[in-house]
Amino acid sequence: MADAARLLPLLGVFLVLLPILWRPAESAEADTAVGGVYLFTVWIVLIVAALFLSRLLSAPHTQDTSGDEEPR
């Protein structure tokens, strides 16, 4: 999970810069509505993913100590 948290910003940069590779619309006017909806959707998904990862990383880890070994 820690590795996923480290890679989340890189994924975010890739997804935010992805519209640069889109083909321009056939019309002369810029197609900003689709790009705006895409960017806000990516933003919300990244926030939810960061929330999910932070909850998983902050959860206490439990270990099974029922074996013969004593804790150090």
Side-chain angles (χ1 to χ4, degrees):
M1 285 299 138
D3 291 336
R6 289 184 192 113
L7 289 176
L8 190 62
L10 296 175
L11 176 67
V13 167
F14 174 75
L15 291 174
V16 168
L17 293 178
L18 188 62
I20 294 173
L21 300 175
W22 290 350
R23 293 182 183 202
E26 294 179 10
S27 64
E29 298 177 10
D31 192 17
T32 57
V34 173
V37 169
Y38 171 78
L39 287 177
F40 278 106
T41 303
V42 167
W43 186 30
I44 295 295
V45 168
L46 287 172
I47 290 171
V48 170
L51 175 68
F52 177 72
L53 286 172
S54 69
R55 298 257 173 139
L56 286 176
L57 289 172
S58 66
H61 297 291
T62 58
Q63 295 180 354
D64 185 17
T65 57
S66 62
D68 294 335
E69 297 180 17
E70 293 183 17
R72 295 180 189 195

